[in-house]
């Protein structure tokens, strides 16, 4: 469905949009503010340290007392006679 009426605002809006696109493509890329870079570095350092701590805990040996509890839990109870 085509609109035969001319839209006087359409040309103005299009030229504004074109100007914005042209302006943004000509501008140099902006680097993030220093605070954002610093925050990202902190988050990466925290993440690396948390992974390291998690790996240490996962690789610790299971205490014998816990293994004994697990063995008893897996053994079916004896029927009383």
């Amino acid at each position: 469905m085509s609109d035969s009426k001319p839209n006087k605002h359409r040309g103005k809006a299009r030229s504004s949009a074109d100007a914005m696109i042209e302006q943004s493509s000509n501008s140099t890329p902006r680097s993030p503010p220093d605070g954002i870079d610093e925050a990202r570095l902190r988050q990466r350092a925290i993440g690396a340290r948390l992974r390291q701590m998690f790996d240490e805990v996962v690789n610790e040996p299971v205490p014998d007392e816990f293994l004994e509890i697990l063995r008893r839990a897996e053994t079916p109870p004896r029927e009383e006679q």
Side-chain angles (χ1 to χ4, degrees):
M1 186 172 165
S2 65
D3 192 349
S4 60
K5 294 183 198 175
N7 188 342
K8 63 181 178 181
H9 298 291
R10 182 178 243 170
K12 190 174 187 179
R14 184 174 296 255
S15 64
S16 297
D18 290 340
M20 288 173 57
I21 292 169
E22 190 174 315
Q23 181 183 7
S24 68
S25 65
N26 291 338
S27 63
T28 58
R30 296 180 187 171
S31 61
D34 291 336
I36 292 175
D37 285 340
E38 188 175 324
R40 286 183 184 155
L41 288 174
R42 275 194 212 129
Q43 286 176 344
R44 286 183 186 155
I46 290 169
R49 182 64 181 133
L50 285 172
R51 283 188 291 280
Q52 180 184 10
M53 291 172 62
F54 179 78
D55 288 342
E56 289 172 5
V57 170
V58 167
N59 292 323
E60 286 181 3
V62 178
D64 291 334
E65 296 85 16
F66 289 160
L67 291 174
E68 183 58 35
I69 292 169
L70 291 173
R71 280 189 208 103
R72 281 189 268 153
E74 290 176 350
T75 305
R78 295 184 204 170
E79 292 183 25
E80 293 185 28
Q81 294 179 353

